[in-house]
Amino acid sequence: MDAEQILLTIIVAFSIFGNTTALYCLAKKKVNNYTILCINLSISETLQSVFGYLPTFFLNKTSQEATLLCKLAAFFTAFPSFASISILTAVAISRVVLLEKPFLSNHGCYKTLFFKIGIASWIYSLFWASLPLMGLSCYTLEATRSRCAINWSPKMLSEKIFLIILVVFIFFLPLLIILVSCLYTARVIHLKFKYFSNTYGKDNIETKRFKSKENKAVSSFIIMVLTFVICWAPYATIGLLSAFTSLAIPVLFLRVAALFSKLSAVVNPIIYYSKDNLYYNLTVAVKFRASFLGKSFLIEDAKKITNNPCNS
């Protein structure tokens, strides 16, 4: 294995562990609007990691043509990758909806709505991932010879138009929605802080709580936006360069773009689930069970010692 494959293996291993752990935690939680979308996010990112890693098993780096298996691996990598972006966008939209209607946050009709949003995200992603199979573009062997992907060296006008539209609807539009959602949420929290500050004073407990909430929200929003840009901007840049110029995309740039997109499946669970203290709650539960089991074993051992005829 070369350095790229070793790094990819580490990223995939962390991604699968993080997302399966998140799925386990979410399964233990009461189902609400937020967890519905988070479950979809974990599934999409697990699939992205698994299918993105498959070509390392069967692809020969001396190959000159994309095999059917390679093209299918590319499709099943692109599909959950687009789904992850769509679901992140849906999470951003849901945040605005729940802030607008907080008293209906766990209402039954809203749960149905969020189930539909999750399904719509998968259908939306399937549509974009299927277009290359329908002839609008194609899945082909990358210049790295290590995977198949969307054709980043288009010759036909239709392929260039497809890349432009894809970058707009899979990168720029979701980024805009996430930005607007973060700014709107920060504004709502700031207005609440301002209200409590003007009404009860800056030393009030609620005022301090909202100030802390505002600082935490701003930092988490900056991290969310920067993570999305860092993970997906390389592929968006490649798409725009391929569509508007005749420059040959450097192999190193393609390798970096692929690794950064895989990295999103590791980073997203940490960002989105740490906000809900998901992993912390799991750690507390594990420690509690371990201490409970330890006490149970100690009690059983004490009973055995007490009831042992040799001790009488």
Side-chain angles (χ1 to χ4, degrees), residues 221-243:
F221 293 155
I222 291 169
I223 292 168
M224 273 190 272
V225 173
L226 282 177
T227 302
F228 184 86
V229 172
I230 290 167
C231 290
W232 296 107
Y235 265 133
T237 306
I238 289 170
L240 292 176
L241 284 174
S242 301

Side-chain angles (χ1 to χ4, degrees), residues 14 62 85 126 152 205 219 225 278:
F14 272 104
T62 59
I85 294 171
L126 180 62
W152 299 115
I205 295 171
S219 60
V225 173
L278 205 62

Side-chain angles (χ1 to χ4, degrees), residues 186-199:
R187 179 176 172 274
V188 169
I189 294 170
H190 178 69
L191 287 174
K192 285 186 177 180
F193 162 72
K194 205 171 177 182
Y195 167 78
F196 279 103
S197 180
N198 292 334
T199 308

Side-chain angles (χ1 to χ4, degrees), residues 42-53:
S42 286
I43 292 169
S44 67
E45 291 187 333
T46 304
L47 291 174
Q48 175 195 345
S49 300
V50 171
F51 285 108
Y53 189 67

Side-chain angles (χ1 to χ4, degrees), residues 109-237:
C109 64
Y110 266 65
K111 287 182 182 177
T112 306
L113 171 65
F114 279 80
F115 270 116
K116 290 177 181 177
I117 289 172
I119 293 167
S121 299
W122 286 98
I123 294 170
Y124 180 81
S125 308
L126 180 62
F127 169 75
W128 288 106
S130 300
L131 288 178
L133 296 176
M134 296 175 185
L136 193 58
S137 182
C138 65
Y139 290 110
T140 185
L141 196 64
E142 271 191 355
T144 59
R145 298 284 183 260
S146 58
R147 68 186 63 82
C148 286
I150 292 169
N151 185 10
W152 299 115
S153 303
K155 301 289 189 294
M156 297 170 60
L157 180 62
S158 60
E159 291 178 331
K160 292 186 177 186
I161 292 171
F162 170 75
L163 281 180
I164 295 167
I165 296 172
L166 184 70
V167 170
V168 168
F169 282 91
I170 298 294
F171 179 74
F172 285 111
L173 183 61
L175 178 60
L176 179 64
I177 291 170
I178 291 168
L179 268 172
V180 169
S181 169
C182 289
L183 290 171
Y184 178 80
T185 307
R187 179 176 172 274
V188 169
I189 294 170
H190 178 69
L191 287 174
K192 285 186 177 180
F193 162 72
K194 205 171 177 182
Y195 167 78
F196 279 103
S197 180
N198 292 334
T199 308
Y200 303 108
K202 291 183 178 181
D203 295 327
N204 182 265
I205 295 171
E206 285 298 313
T207 306
K208 289 180 179 178
R209 187 170 72 86
F210 270 100
K211 183 60 181 174
S212 173
K213 217 171 183 181
E214 183 183 27
N215 293 336
K216 197 174 177 181
V218 169
S219 60
S220 65
F221 293 155
I222 291 169
I223 292 168
M224 273 190 272
V225 173
L226 282 177
T227 302
F228 184 86
V229 172
I230 290 167
C231 290
W232 296 107
Y235 265 133
T237 306

